[in-house]
Amino acid sequence: GNISTRYKDRQNSYKDIAWYIKKAVELKTGNYLVFFPSFEYMRNVYEQYKELWPKDYTILQDSYMTDAEREDFLSSFEESPEHSLIAFAVMGGIFSEGIDLTGDRLSGAIIIGVGLPQLSQERDLIARYYNQVKKMGFEYAYMFPGMNKVLQAAGRVIRTEKDRGFVLLLDDRFLHRRYINLFPVEWNGYIEVHSPEDMSNIIANFWNQQ
């Protein structure tokens, strides 16, 4: 998608992202996961979404969830749901790895941002080391770990050979060659989207091909 989720641009992206989510989930009744780079970003887009579509069935990951709360969150993903569920979660968190939502318990994942870790002294040390060794400090310290989180989140959608669903990547950086080079082979048929309407047509075609 043609959206910037860079830190300085985030405030201006809430409404656009809300529209992308709505247009992606309204075509088929199902369960959907939307992954964000941080809790703050997630809550801001969630509030914007609820303001626009207060009647939609949404749930939100909390920063500290007990095992029971986590189970409740996952049990909301029912087989053949009567109403669509839109679940807001954080990349690299408890719901972006190691959960199995097989069959039609998950129809799509929307991933906001390229998953870059926050700037830190530890990351900068890694960057400095890999700059000396391979001239690829940024890649090893930030880009590769970020893309790993993106792939883990995307991996929630297809768990068995019979699963069917879409992954929507929202960040203009995904179209840069350095990111495309990190896509798995299965993503070679990716389609660029330039607006929520554009994306809506592509997802509609995808569901119609079933």
Side-chain angles (χ1 to χ4, degrees), residues 79-124:
E79 283 275 352
S80 312
E82 284 181 32
H83 308 285
S84 281
L85 163 74
I86 305 112
F88 289 68
V90 169
M91 237 186 293
I94 50 176
F95 300 118
S96 72
E97 45 196 67
I99 58 163
D100 263 339
L101 297 167
T102 52
D104 67 354
R105 287 184 68 202
L106 188 62
S107 292
I110 299 163
I111 297 172
I112 317 296
V114 291
L116 296 183
Q118 282 191 307
L119 295 168
S120 69
Q121 270 184 310
E122 184 193 359
R123 294 265 150 215
D124 286 344

Side-chain angles (χ1 to χ4, degrees), residues 1-6 114 116 138 143 147 169 171-183 190 192:
N2 57 337
I3 283 188
S4 170
T5 71
R6 293 165 187 80
V114 291
L116 296 183
F138 176 75
M143 199 173 151
M147 199 58 187
L169 306 174
D171 193 299
D172 56 28
R173 286 170 287 188
F174 283 121
L175 293 173
H176 295 183
R177 178 51 51 196
R178 63 201 305 208
Y179 277 97
I180 291 171
N181 289 341
L182 300 178
F183 284 5
Y190 71 87
E192 285 182 36

Side-chain angles (χ1 to χ4, degrees), residues 46-132:
Y46 176 80
E47 281 166 20
Q48 176 72 78
Y49 192 95
K50 289 306 282 180
E51 202 177 295
L52 290 165
W53 301 285
K55 291 181 178 167
D56 282 11
Y57 175 30
T58 53
I59 57 174
L60 191 66
Q61 180 183 346
D62 200 12
S63 17
Y64 302 101
M65 292 177 99
T66 62
D67 285 347
E69 286 168 332
R70 187 183 167 190
E71 285 305 314
D72 280 351
F73 189 96
L74 288 173
S75 63
S76 305
F77 292 81
E78 294 177 354
E79 283 275 352
S80 312
E82 284 181 32
H83 308 285
S84 281
L85 163 74
I86 305 112
F88 289 68
V90 169
M91 237 186 293
I94 50 176
F95 300 118
S96 72
E97 45 196 67
I99 58 163
D100 263 339
L101 297 167
T102 52
D104 67 354
R105 287 184 68 202
L106 188 62
S107 292
I110 299 163
I111 297 172
I112 317 296
V114 291
L116 296 183
Q118 282 191 307
L119 295 168
S120 69
Q121 270 184 310
E122 184 193 359
R123 294 265 150 215
D124 286 344
L125 284 172
I126 296 169
R128 223 173 297 163
Y129 171 75
Y130 279 105
N131 267 337
Q132 287 166 352

Side-chain angles (χ1 to χ4, degrees), residues 13-32:
S13 70
Y14 304 153
K15 199 167 192 176
D16 288 339
I17 290 172
W19 272 103
Y20 266 106
I21 297 167
K22 180 63 175 175
K23 286 287 186 187
V25 306
E26 69 182 1
L27 295 156
K28 179 186 189 289
T29 301
N31 302 317
Y32 299 92

